[in-house]
Each structure stands twice: as structure tokens, then as C-alpha cells.
Amino acid sequence: MNLNLNQFLRFPQSRIGRYLAQVTVVAVVYAVGARLAISIQGVNPFASSVWPPAGIAQAGLFLFGSKLWPAIVLGTFLLNLVNPSEQIFEVWLGGNVGAILQAVFAVKTLGWLGFRPSLARLKDVVNLILFGALISTQISCTIGAFSIYLAGRVDWAGYWSLRWNWWLGDTMGVLILTPLILIFIRPQVTAERLKTPTDSQKKYLMARGVWLILLIGVSWLVFESKHEASIARYPLEYLPFPLIIWAALELGQRSAVLASFVVSIIAILGSSHGGGPFIAKAENINQAILFLQAFLAVVTITSLLLAATVAERTSAEYSLRESEIKYRELVENANSIILKLDGDGNITFFNEFAENFFGYKEEEILGKNPVGTIIPHTDLEGNNLELVYNEILHNPARFISYENENMRRSGDRVWVSWANKPLVDAAGKLLGILCIGTDITDRRKAEIALQKLNEKLEIRVEERTNALKQSELQLQKQKSALIDLAKNKALNQGDLTKALQEITETASRTLEVTRSSVWLYDRTKSKIECLDLFDSALNQHSHGLELAAADYPVYFQALLEERAIAAFDAQNDFRTREFAESYLIPFGITSMLDTPIQIGGETAGVVCLEQVGMPRYWTIEEQSFAVSLADSVTFAMEARERQRAEEALRQAEAKYRSIFENAIVGIFQTTPNGEYLSINPALIRIYGYSSSEELRRNLTNINRQLYVDPERRAELIKLMRKNGKISDVESQVYRQDGSIIWISENAYTVCDRDGNLLYYEGTVQDITTRKQAEAALRLEQEKSDRLLLNVLPQPIADRLKQDQSIIADTFSEVTVLFADIVGFTQISSKISPPELVSLLNDIFSTFDRLAEKHGLEKIKTIGDAYMVVGGLPMPRSDHAEAIAEMALDMQQAIIDFSHTHNQDFRIRIGINSGPVVAGVIGIKKFIYDLWGDTVNTASRMESHGFPGCIQVTSATYERLQDKYLLQSRGTIEVKGKGEMNTYFLTGSKL
């Protein structure tokens, strides 16, 4: 039972549960929309002007997919439950099939065209109007009307009238409801989110509230009021238009769609109650419905197109700003000196790293010549660097890579490796030089064979701004002058002069006034200047007139306080009579309509409309139109400022792009997952690829494909996450051809404001040549060390490499062995010198191997004599035993040697133990030697011994008697020592 309960509770979260919930929601909304339309229709036939279910069905399938088509059938079923009426199967089937096919066709067609439900792009709005509203609705009206004809409810003549009304209702339902549902349910990443209010959120919400109240109030006043025929002939229905344009331009896409929806609802309700301008204008009900539908189409299409245009423009501006910020950060954070010279050799760019390195601020160094600031006139060796610098300016191609001595502001001398790139125009004329430097002071002092810096900074611009597209908008009947201005290219492209001319001409043509002009305040707001004045009588434009606030204080005060100055008798109106003598009377101006231009909440100027001849009363509609003209001026001025900002951004982008495109160090940006976001040509060359596309296609995962050590990338990421960056980290990587190279990396993490990792970026330098040079140097060093160890013991060699001129150590306990080949003089007289040397080499090489076997130190050979010692240079307690074993092995080796060469070789061996002094003396042909009485006595033991015997002293005897067989020889006379007791070592006891 618990299992069944759990399954029941989890059912709403399952895929089927979610699907059924979506079907139910769409069906209920579909039925409610139809019921509301039918209920209004019962009062008055105007409800047929909009059929909401058509828009609801299309929006539902956009949001949840075409598989939700059963919701249409279910919605029709629910509608029949709450609104029972006679049902005919053909009519029910045709209506459902037509509605389903209409919605599915629209969704599939728009999906194939790449439609985005956010409606943030102009082409999405146009596609929705064309395919979603105008074309797809042909399906439903055709099938539905034909099913009613088949049921016998209408004859063939009535079929076309029914089909026309059906199509208009579905079309208006899609135009009004589908955008409203899509934009308010789908998350918006368009102009509305990019338009973050500059003031506080409270003020922003208050502005929206005021706008909504005005929109509802004006719409209610226009469409709910009963108008006289004399008033109805004016286009009263377009009074809400300025508020709709305000929403599209300032408040975002949602507000624009909401505005069109509110105006449409109030227009339908008002018309259904017998109010509004359409009833008064129309000759019959059908004509009034047609007027209403045309008006709803104009309102909805205009708001959607304006909102999409503003969203596209705002998104492009945002992308351009982000691009400029990214390039600036990469240049300023580069760990290299970057400066740019003009054609005369003066500094025009100095990055932050260069400021810190040389000790100059950018404003202190720009415009100055490097010689005398960062380049000394002569280097420490006396070379004239000024001549070298002049040669660089005249022949930059010869100095693409160059190292020279530089100086800091403090006077300190430093070495910099410069990578220079001549910058030329299309004609080949030198415009300047891009210089990227690396501090090589330490390298210059410590390393001789380092490779010069090959490549420098660059960032490849991945994102490019798309040009703003202007499409010709086709509107329905009764297009107003405001819509024409909104479509005007001059207003949108920032051509202020042309835009103002269009505005003044439109004002004169629409309101039939003789003079229309636009005036703007100066910076001090002490006067206004005429930017454009159009005289329709002369059909010409002029500009340049000025009016000072001190001369006309009442008029200037009225501009600040009133929404519009509508003066019937301008020459006597208290607000404008100050102009009578100097301006109004000379030009014959009788009436004036002046509206302030607002920019950023402040009055920036005025649009002035002047009537010549008979005085004129200015209606509310004309005053609203004049206010909209002032808003159009505001829009044109903002467009001009945007164009200037875009141009500045493009210039900045071009500046930084020039720097990076000519850099010679590999630059990269990678995702945390190991994919390249951006790569520059230098990096492509380092890794052996021919293009960025080839590199991206082959290197899809840096972790597994680039580094020779598969764990290397993870180690570097761990260091960057711990320290924020890595510097001069060396790694082995694979090139495109499979070869392995060494690289040095500098990289750091890039995070958002919340500290979340976005990507890694940094630089790569090929150091393969340097690593090869270092390896060759180590190999030669090892050869030298081996050669030295063949002459000296390792501890002595290590001390000698530390530059100790005299090495002499005292050892209190060692054992010294001397061996001499008996009869060697007679042997040497019988064989040739090469054979003699070869014979000695064979014997002494055998002794060398024995010395190495027993851990003894060979001291030297003198002729046919061999000297070895135990207990130094590293002291050991068994030095006597080791020498004894060596002596016994030497005897056996001589016996074996005699058998091999068929000659009788015998040796005398003398051994003594005691203290010695050991060391290296002299300055040439170093040799490690021993001195002391112990050495002399050991030599006497050998010279006073018998062939084939090992003679030892009493000191050695004391150390060996417990482990070895020793035979007393007795007392013998030793030269220089007198009488001594000696012994013969004959073997080991073990």
C-alpha cells in the first residue's frame, strides 16, 4: 500500500504527469479565452474581431511542443461543458482539425526558420506576423468555414464572408495573445534585461506605474467615450501611440507588448459598448469591426517591431562594450612591456606593466622620445644607443627581434629583449612601431646561450558585432506620421542634422504649419540655439538663431514648468509676447505650439511650431503630437550619442586589435573543461598547426591531447586555483606532427564578480632551444665530472670544484699498500714499448678493478709500481682487512696472468698501517697523494720483501692477526728505520 501511495505521489513529477498537467493548463486557458470572447460577443458582435484561443493554442505549442495538440480538443470540450449548445459533428471536427493544423503548422514553420520565442530579434517578429498570424490562420478559417458549409449552416456565398471574418479573428488573436504569453512566460535576455534602470528601483517602478495609469486613462478616454461626428473625424484612436512608443523605447519588450494588449482590450470593450471613434466613423457594424481590427493590427505590429529593434540595438552596444573591456584588461594585465611608437619615434602607448617596470606614469611618458627616458644615450660599454635607435626607426624590418640596454627612471640599467613590429598603412608608409619587451636582466647575467624572446601578446577577437539591420516595415491602413518617423533611418543611425530636418518637415506637413524648428540649450542653459528651422512656404531649412534667457525670462520659465506652450494669440499670450516685436510680428507669426525636449529628466531644448496668418487653436491631439515630436528629437540625439560611443568603441577595439595581431607570444583562453575559447596565430605556429580551425578540430581536449604528462594540466589548474596564477611554468607538449617541445607558460584564472571561474587565459613561449642547450651543457658537465673522478676521489673532486686552492687532510687510521712487479726491467728489454705499455695496462687494469671491488682508493702508479690505500678519503674501520683482501687477490691475479701469457710474473707487496696526510697540491696536473712515515714504511716493506710474498709491519699485524694467517719473518734492517719486526701475510683464517 505504501508503494502504491509513493507511486501516486510521484506521478505529478513524472514525464507523463507533467505532460498531462501541461495539456490541462493549456486546455483550461483555451476554454476560458473562448468563453470570454463568446460572452462579449453575446453583448455586441465586436468580439468577433479577436479570437483569443487561436493565439493561446499557438503560444501553448511554442512553450511545450507540438505534442500538446490534444489540449485544443480538450479545450473545445471544456468550452462545450460551460457553454452548451447544439453541436454538429462536421462543425466540431472541422473546427478542431483546423485549429490543430493551424497551430502545428505555425510552430513547425517558425521552428524551421530559427524562430526564438523571446521575440528579441526583428526577424522573429516579422516571421511571427507573416507565418504565425497571416499565413497559418488561413488553414483554420478555410477548414472551419468549409465544415459549416458542409453542415448546411451557410450557403456558398456566405462561405467567403464567414471565412474572411474567421481569418481576421484568428489573426488578431495570434497577434495580440501569442506575443503576450511568450514574452511574459519565457525568461527575457534582451533589451528589457539589458535596460537596467539608472535610478533606484523604486523610481523605476514609479515610472512604470505612471506610464500604465496614463496608458489606461488615455485609452479609456478615447475608446469608452461617445464621440460626436465632428470630433470623430480626427484620428483620436492614435492618442495612446506616444505611450506605446515610450514603452518600446524606454521600458522594454514586456511593457511594449503589455501596452498593445491593454489598448486592444480597452478598444474592444469600448467598441462593444458603443463607444470610441470607430462607431462614430463607420457607416455600419462591419465597417466598424474592420476599423477596429486594422487599428489593433497597427498597434500590435508597431509595438513588437519597435521593441525588437531597440532590443537588438541595445544588445549590440552591450557586446561592443564587453569586447572593448576584455581587450583592455588583457593588454593592461599582460606580464610584458608593451609600448607603441609613432613615425617620429615618440611613445604613443605605454601599458601598466611598462609603467611599473620603468617607473614612469603613462601621462609622463606619452609623446616623449625613448632616448633619454627609457634608453640611455650610451650603454655601459660606450656604444651609442641613440644611433642604434635611429637605425631602428629607419629600418625597422632589420630589428624585428633586438636586445639592448635600457634604463629605469631611477637610473638603474636593465636589459630588455624587444620584439618590434612595423605598422604600415595600405601604401606601405611607416605609421609606427609596436614594441613588446621582456626583462632579461637576470638571464643576461646568468645565462649566455638563452634563446631570445620569439613571440608576444595577442588576443584574437572572437566576437564581432553585427551591423544593425533596418528592414522596410509594411504597415496596414492609417499609418501615422509618428510611425513614419520611428522607421526613419536618420533617427536610428545618429545623423542628427538629417533627423531634425525630417522631424521639422514632418511637423509642417502633418500639422500644416508654416514654420517648424528645433532649439537646444547651451551648456550653461543661458540661451537656446536653433539647430534646424523649416519654412514650408519657402521649402528651405536654416539654423543658427539664438535666444537668450535673460531677454525672455517668462518664456524660459514656462518651458521648465509646462508640458506644452499652446498660444492661440502668441503676440498677446503672456508666455510668448516677449517675442512680439523682435520675432513674431516681423515673420507674421500668430500662433505658437512649443513643447520641451526632455533628456535624462531635464529640459534640453524645445520643438517650436509656428502658425503664420490666421490664429489657430491647438487641439489636445496636436499638442500630444508635438510632445511626440519632442520625444523623436530626444531619440535622435540619443542615437547620435550611441553612434559616437560605438565609433569610440570601434576605434578602441581597432587599437587593441592592432597590438595583439602583431604580437609574437602565444595567447590563449581555455574553458575549465580543456577547450580553447580563443587562440592567436603565434600559438598556432608554436603547436605546428596551419590555422585556428585545424587546431580546434584536433585539440578538443587539452588535458589528454596536448601535454606529454597526462597529469600536467591538472597540476597547473590546481596551482592556478590555489594562487590565482602560474608564472614561467615549464612543460613538455606535443606538436601537430607528434614531435615534443618544451614550453613556458604564464596563466591566470578569470572569474566573475561572484568569484565563479569563467575561463583561464595566459601566454605560451617555446623554450625548446633553450632546454636543448641546457641538456647539452649538462652532458658536457657530466663528461668533465667523470674525467675528474678518474683522477681524484669524488669528495676531493667536489671540494676542488669549489675552488679550494690547497687540499690537505690528516687521517689517523689508514692502511697503505705498495706492489712492484719483480724483474720488470728484464722483461721490458725483451719486448717493444707498445707491447710493454699494453702489458702494464692489462695488469694495472686488473688491480683497478680489485680496488673498486674492495672499496679502496688507488693513489698512483710509478713505472711498474702500484699504490693503493684503504680508509680514505672516507674513513672506515676495516681498512686493514680490505687491504689484506686486496693483496691476496693481487697475488692470485698475477698467478692467473702468468698462466695466460706463459710467463713467470711475480710481485712484491708491502703493507703498513698508521696516520697519513692526504691531499692535492700544485696548480697543474692534479693528483691525490699521500705523505707521512706510514707511506714511507709501506714502501720499505715492498722494497725489502721477497718476490711472491706480502710483507706487513707490526702495526698491520696487530690489526689482522685475529682474521688472517701471518708468519713472522723476524727482525730485519730497514733503510731509514733501523731494525723492525715484520710478518708475511699468507692467507685468511676463514
Side-chain angles (χ1 to χ4, degrees):
M1 181 174 180
N2 291 334
L3 179 60
N4 294 334
L5 178 61
N6 291 335
Q7 292 176 345
F8 175 76
L9 294 176
R10 289 197 300 268
F11 178 73
Q13 301 176 359
S14 65
R15 184 172 63 179
I16 297 177
R18 289 195 301 270
Y19 172 75
L20 294 178
Q22 293 168 353
V23 170
T24 304
V25 170
V26 174
V28 170
V29 176
Y30 184 94
V32 170
R35 184 67 184 89
L36 290 175
I38 293 172
S39 64
I40 299 175
Q41 188 176 14
V43 178
N44 194 289
F46 274 95
S48 64
S49 61
V50 178
W51 181 243
I56 295 171
Q58 200 169 115
L61 267 62
F62 271 127
L63 292 173
F64 306 116
S66 302
K67 63 182 181 297
L68 251 72
W69 64 265
I72 300 175
V73 181
L74 180 58
T76 305
F77 174 75
L78 295 176
L79 175 63
N80 293 335
L81 290 180
V82 299
N83 188 49
S85 60
E86 180 184 358
Q87 295 293 324
I88 299 175
F89 177 75
E90 292 86 349
V91 176
W92 177 86
L93 179 62
N96 278 291
V97 170
I100 292 171
L101 291 179
Q102 170 185 308
V104 171
F105 172 80
V107 171
K108 293 295 185 181
T109 302
L110 290 175
W112 179 74
L113 292 173
F115 176 76
R116 295 181 185 175
S118 64
L119 297 177
R121 302 181 302 177
L122 196 59
K123 73 173 185 178
D124 294 330
V125 175
V126 174
N127 286 337
L128 178 64
I129 295 170
L130 182 60
F131 294 98
L134 299 179
I135 296 178
S136 67
T137 51
Q138 299 286 347
I139 299 173
S140 178
C141 70
T142 300
I143 297 175
F146 191 70
S147 66
I148 295 176
Y149 166 74
L150 291 178
R153 292 303 182 96
V154 295
D155 56 15
W156 186 248
Y159 165 79
W160 294 105
S161 176
L162 174 62
R163 183 185 181 282
W164 169 255
N165 291 330
W166 193 315
W167 177 74
L168 288 177
D170 283 359
T171 298
M172 297 313 303
V174 171
L175 285 177
I176 295 174
L177 271 299
T178 299
L180 181 72
I181 295 172
L182 290 179
I183 290 177
F184 272 85
I185 292 181
R186 284 274 184 176
Q188 297 294 296
V189 191
T190 57
E192 185 173 355
R193 288 202 173 182
L194 294 174
K195 281 179 172 283
T196 303
T198 55
D199 297 331
S200 65
Q201 188 69 19
K202 182 178 179 181
K203 291 182 179 179
Y204 182 65
L205 294 176
M206 289 177 62
R208 278 195 165 185
V210 171
W211 164 79
L212 185 58
I213 293 171
L214 289 174
L215 179 68
I216 295 173
V218 172
S219 300
W220 192 269
L221 179 64
V222 172
F223 297 107
E224 285 289 343
S225 302
K226 302 290 192 302
H227 299 288
E228 298 295 335
S230 61
I231 299 178
R233 63 187 179 87
Y234 295 106
L236 302 178
E237 61 272 19
Y238 288 103
L239 286 178
F241 251 74
L243 295 170
I244 294 175
I245 294 175
W246 179 15
L249 297 181
E250 296 297 331
L251 301 181
Q253 206 172 19
R254 288 189 173 182
S255 298
V257 174
L258 178 62
S260 64
F261 177 73
V262 169
V263 172
S264 299
I265 292 299
I266 296 175
I268 293 172
L269 291 175
S271 298
S272 68
H273 296 156
F278 303 116
I279 293 295
K281 290 180 180 180
E283 297 177 358
N284 53 55
I285 293 300
N286 289 333
Q287 190 180 42
I289 292 174
L290 190 60
F291 285 168
L292 175 62
Q293 289 172 326
F295 170 74
L296 297 180
V298 170
V299 169
T300 304
I301 293 173
T302 299
S303 62
L304 287 174
L305 291 173
L306 281 177
T309 300
V310 172
E312 277 192 338
R313 181 181 298 277
T314 306
S315 178
E317 293 172 359
Y318 179 81
S319 299
L320 200 58
R321 286 194 299 270
E322 287 294 311
S323 177
E324 190 272 339
I325 291 171
K326 181 175 75 172
Y327 295 135
R328 181 178 295 276
E329 287 179 349
L330 285 176
V331 171
E332 296 300 337
N333 294 327
N335 291 324
S336 298
I337 304 165
I338 302 179
L339 59 89
K340 188 176 179 182
L341 308 175
D342 59 18
D344 297 326
N346 297 320
I347 298 173
T348 60
F349 177 79
F350 210 64
N351 75 336
E352 184 178 350
F353 187 88
E355 292 180 16
N356 297 331
F357 183 77
F358 287 111
Y360 289 97
K361 294 294 184 182
E362 187 178 23
E363 56 269 18
E364 297 175 333
I365 199 71
L366 291 184
K368 294 186 178 180
N369 194 289
V371 178
T373 53
I374 63 173
I375 299 178
H377 291 280
T378 58
D379 59 18
L380 296 178
E381 296 181 358
N383 298 315
N384 192 328
L385 297 183
E386 186 173 1
L387 295 178
V388 176
Y389 180 71
N390 291 332
E391 181 65 20
I392 293 175
L393 292 178
H394 288 91
N395 299 289
R398 293 178 51 196
F399 296 89
I400 298 300
S401 179
Y402 182 69
E403 295 181 0
N404 71 290
E405 193 174 298
N406 291 74
M407 68 178 181
R408 292 190 169 109
R409 184 172 187 172
S410 61
D412 296 338
R413 297 295 181 97
V414 291
W415 273 90
V416 177
S417 175
W418 294 101
N420 302 322
K421 176 67 178 180
L423 305 176
V424 297
D425 59 14
K429 180 181 177 182
L430 181 67
L431 300 178
I433 303 176
L434 173 65
C435 305
I436 303 178
T438 301
D439 179 15
I440 59 168
T441 304
D442 294 338
R443 188 192 77 184
R444 194 77 176 184
K445 294 178 180 178
E447 301 177 6
I448 298 176
L450 266 180
Q451 178 190 8
K452 295 180 181 178
L453 191 61
N454 288 328
E455 308 184 2
K456 284 300 169 187
L457 287 174
E458 181 205 8
I459 279 188
R460 188 168 178 254
V461 179
E462 190 177 283
E463 298 180 355
R464 296 186 180 182
T465 57
N466 297 324
L468 300 177
K469 298 180 180 179
Q470 296 292 335
S471 300
E472 292 294 333
L473 304 179
Q474 296 182 353
L475 300 178
Q476 301 298 323
K477 295 179 181 180
Q478 299 188 11
K479 294 180 181 179
S480 67
L482 291 176
I483 298 177
D484 291 336
L485 281 178
K487 293 167 52 181
N488 189 277
K489 293 184 178 181
L491 272 73
N492 292 280
Q493 294 179 350
D495 187 349
L496 187 60
T497 301
K498 181 65 176 175
L500 295 182
Q501 291 177 354
E502 293 287 345
I503 292 171
T504 54
E505 290 182 15
T506 299
S508 295
R509 182 173 59 252
T510 304
L511 297 183
E512 297 180 356
V513 295
T514 305
R515 296 162 61 88
S516 302
S517 56
V518 177
W519 304 68
L520 289 183
Y521 279 105
D522 64 356
R523 292 186 178 180
T524 62
K525 293 199 172 183
S526 62
K527 63 180 179 180
I528 56 175
E529 179 184 357
C530 179
L531 296 189
D532 185 77
L533 188 151
F534 177 67
D535 191 326
S536 61
L538 301 176
N539 193 27
Q540 68 179 18
H541 292 268
S542 61
H543 65 277
L545 293 177
E546 293 184 353
L547 298 176
D551 297 333
Y552 311 102
V554 177
Y555 173 77
F556 276 81
Q557 186 63 33
L559 282 181
L560 299 176
E561 296 176 351
E562 299 189 24
R563 178 174 179 266
I565 300 176
F568 166 72
D569 184 1
Q571 297 179 10
N572 295 307
D573 191 297
F574 77 96
R575 298 166 296 182
T576 57
R577 62 190 177 193
E578 296 171 326
F579 299 112
E581 298 297 330
S582 61
Y583 185 73
L584 300 180
I585 295 175
F587 290 101
I589 299 171
T590 56
S591 301
M592 294 179 64
L593 176 57
D594 291 4
T595 53
I597 299 169
Q598 299 289 329
I599 299 178
E602 296 185 358
T603 301
V606 60
V607 173
C608 185
L609 308 177
E610 300 163 352
Q611 173 73 14
V612 175
M614 293 296 295
R616 175 175 179 173
Y617 284 104
W618 304 101
T619 65
I620 297 297
E621 292 78 8
E622 290 170 340
Q623 293 181 37
S624 298
F625 180 77
V627 171
S628 299
L629 289 176
D631 292 339
S632 298
V633 174
T634 300
F635 181 78
M637 294 180 66
E638 290 177 346
R640 181 187 64 173
E641 294 304 317
R642 282 196 298 271
Q643 187 186 45
R644 288 176 176 176
E646 290 170 1
E647 181 62 26
L649 287 174
R650 281 192 291 270
Q651 291 177 358
E653 180 184 353
K655 174 181 177 182
Y656 290 110
R657 183 183 302 170
S658 173
I659 293 174
F660 291 116
E661 287 181 351
N662 295 286
I664 54 176
V665 164
I667 307 298
F668 66 86
Q669 287 182 335
T670 64
T671 66
N673 296 329
E675 297 179 2
Y676 280 108
L677 293 174
S678 64
I679 47 179
N680 73 327
L683 189 65
I684 296 171
R685 292 193 298 272
I686 289 175
Y687 290 160
Y689 291 91
S690 60
S691 66
S692 61
E693 291 76 13
E694 182 186 14
L695 189 148
R696 293 175 192 273
R697 188 170 58 251
N698 289 276
L699 277 181
T700 57
N701 191 309
I702 302 173
N703 300 345
R704 299 194 304 268
Q705 296 176 294
L706 181 62
Y707 291 94
V708 175
D709 182 0
E711 302 298 326
R712 185 57 170 169
R713 167 85 172 173
E715 295 173 1
L716 300 181
I717 290 176
K718 184 177 180 181
L719 288 174
M720 282 191 286
R721 289 181 175 176
K722 178 181 178 182
N723 304 320
K725 65 177 182 178
I726 57 173
S727 299
D728 299 325
V729 176
E730 298 179 356
S731 308
Q732 285 184 298
V733 297
Y734 293 108
R735 298 183 87 241
Q736 190 271 343
D737 58 4
S739 61
I740 297 175
I741 63 172
W742 280 93
I743 62 170
S744 176
E745 291 183 84
N746 295 282
Y748 57 90
T749 58
V750 178
C751 303
D752 59 17
R753 294 180 178 178
D754 299 325
N756 300 316
L757 178 64
L758 297 177
Y759 53 87
Y760 303 108
E761 66 182 14
T763 62
V764 172
Q765 178 184 353
D766 186 355
I767 59 170
T768 305
T769 304
R770 192 193 76 191
K771 297 295 289 186
Q772 291 173 347
E774 292 174 350
L777 186 61
R778 284 194 299 271
L779 180 62
E780 293 301 321
Q781 184 66 40
E782 291 172 0
K783 290 180 180 179
S784 300
D785 290 345
R786 286 196 300 269
L787 182 61
L788 189 60
L789 291 177
N790 284 331
V791 179
L792 302 172
Q794 183 167 349
I796 303 304
D798 292 340
R799 291 169 63 184
L800 191 62
K801 285 189 288 185
Q802 295 174 4
D803 199 22
Q804 294 188 10
S805 57
I806 298 177
I807 298 177
D809 299 312
T810 300
F811 296 90
S812 60
E813 280 289 330
V814 300
T815 299
V816 182
L817 178 150
F818 277 90
D820 182 74
I821 300 175
V822 179
F824 185 76
T825 302
Q826 292 77 9
I827 295 173
S828 63
S829 63
K830 298 178 182 178
I831 60 178
S832 66
E835 291 176 332
L836 178 65
V837 172
S838 175
L839 177 65
L840 278 178
N841 181 64
D842 291 341
I843 295 174
F844 287 162
S845 294
T846 302
F847 292 170
D848 289 343
R849 287 190 287 271
L850 291 176
E852 186 174 357
K853 171 185 174 182
H854 294 292
L856 302 174
E857 189 67 37
K858 172 187 175 182
I859 300 302
K860 59 185 174 180
T861 60
I862 306 171
D864 60 339
Y866 190 91
M867 179 181 179
V868 66
V869 63
L872 61 79
M874 300 300 295
R876 54 187 291 184
S877 59
D878 62 342
H879 54 87
E881 291 88 339
I883 288 293
E885 292 293 334
M886 171 79 175
L888 294 173
D889 287 346
M890 290 172 70
Q891 280 188 330
Q892 184 61 43
I894 286 297
I895 294 173
D896 295 340
F897 199 78
S898 298
H899 291 285
T900 302
H901 290 77
N902 295 318
Q903 291 192 41
D904 184 18
F905 292 103
R906 291 185 298 169
I907 60 172
R908 290 191 304 267
I909 299 175
I911 301 174
N912 184 33
S913 299
V916 297
V917 174
V920 178
I921 59 175
I923 60 175
K924 292 185 178 180
K925 295 184 179 179
F926 298 118
I927 186 172
Y928 187 64
D929 208 348
L930 307 180
W931 301 275
D933 184 65
T934 301
V935 178
N936 296 332
T937 303
S939 176
R940 295 290 187 268
M941 289 299 101
E942 178 271 321
S943 61
H944 289 68
F946 296 137
C949 294
I950 305 171
Q951 184 171 234
V952 303
T953 62
S954 298
T956 304
Y957 171 79
E958 294 295 332
R959 293 168 173 79
L960 299 178
Q961 62 179 334
D962 294 332
K963 297 181 181 180
Y964 292 89
L965 301 175
L966 293 130
Q967 177 183 349
S968 177
R969 180 183 178 185
T971 302
I972 64 174
E973 184 70 25
V974 177
K975 181 180 179 181
K977 297 291 292 182
E979 293 183 350
M980 293 183 65
N981 289 323
T982 62
Y983 301 85
F984 290 123
L985 173 64
T986 60
S988 174
K989 292 183 178 181
L990 300 179

